[in-house]
Amino acid sequence: MSGTWLPPEQYIATLPKATIYGCFFVTDQADRPIQLRAVRNPAVWQWPGGNLDDPGETPWGCAVRECMEETGLHIADVPRLPAVHFLPPLGDWTTHKVGFVFDGGRLDQDQIDRIVLDPDEHTEVAIRPLEDWRTRMSGFAFRRLAAVAEARRSGSVCYLEQPPTP
């Protein structure tokens, strides 16, 4: 910017746009990641979550709402954040995307048995040891999964950037 003052609505119009998502990283009691197969692209495995739908929604509120919609479960009451994820505009998606990955904890077998998928969103629930996911996901998606699992294990927070596609 040139340093010229603009009214807020004009200045905001000059800024990059972004969507925000909230999701939950969850495992079973043996720390095996639990993921959901996407309907729109069966090669994609996801955590329960999605985009903020309303200007008043927070990333935490979005993760809780989406998890309930996609699995029928309310899995966490306290926000614990092992990762933040930034994606540049990719393909037909013309805005940046910022994701908040919350720790949904370790689900017991009763919780896993109560998962009811939204058939418009996901076709399958899978629980696998971390290393088994490597061959089922893109390289970046697996690196994100592994980084979030390590952040949870170590009690740290990781920041992830998806590289732009050439």
Side-chain angles (χ1 to χ4, degrees):
M1 293 297 304
S2 67
T4 304
W5 184 87
L6 294 172
E9 64 278 359
Q10 290 178 21
Y11 174 67
I12 289 168
T14 70
L15 298 175
K17 306 300 180 251
T19 57
I20 300 171
Y21 76 87
C23 66
F24 280 112
F25 170 74
V26 291
T27 63
D28 67 359
Q29 294 292 310
D31 280 330
R32 296 179 301 178
I34 300 171
Q35 297 198 88
L36 312 176
R37 186 186 295 269
V39 166
R40 290 182 299 281
N41 183 348
V44 172
W45 290 93
Q46 303 173 315
W47 298 316
N51 293 322
L52 273 67
D53 283 348
D54 151 326
E57 190 169 45
T58 66
W60 170 253
C62 173
V64 170
R65 174 185 56 75
E66 287 279 352
C67 186
M68 180 62 78
E69 290 173 5
E70 294 178 359
T71 67
L73 299 179
H74 178 86
I75 59 174
D77 291 317
V78 178
R80 290 185 316 247
L81 185 72
V84 175
H85 180 209
F86 175 84
L87 298 92
L90 299 169
D92 292 337
W93 200 265
T94 59
T95 66
H96 293 32
K97 194 166 190 172
V98 179
F100 293 81
V101 182
F102 296 101
D103 187 346
R106 292 169 179 86
L107 304 186
D108 61 31
Q109 193 59 51
D110 178 60
Q111 289 170 301
I112 293 167
D113 291 343
R114 286 188 286 120
I115 292 174
V116 176
L117 295 178
D118 175 348
D120 292 332
E121 301 245 8
H122 299 102
T123 60
E124 178 183 354
V125 176
I127 304 167
R128 295 187 173 90
L130 179 63
E131 197 55 39
D132 286 3
W133 284 108
R134 182 183 300 273
T135 60
R136 301 176 194 286
M137 305 174 77
S138 71
F140 182 80
F142 178 76
R143 287 190 298 279
R144 181 182 61 194
L145 175 65
V148 174
E150 175 58 21
R152 178 208 265 175
R153 188 199 65 71
S154 67
S156 64
V157 176
C158 64
Y159 170 75
L160 304 158
E161 285 188 6
Q162 179 128 356
T165 52

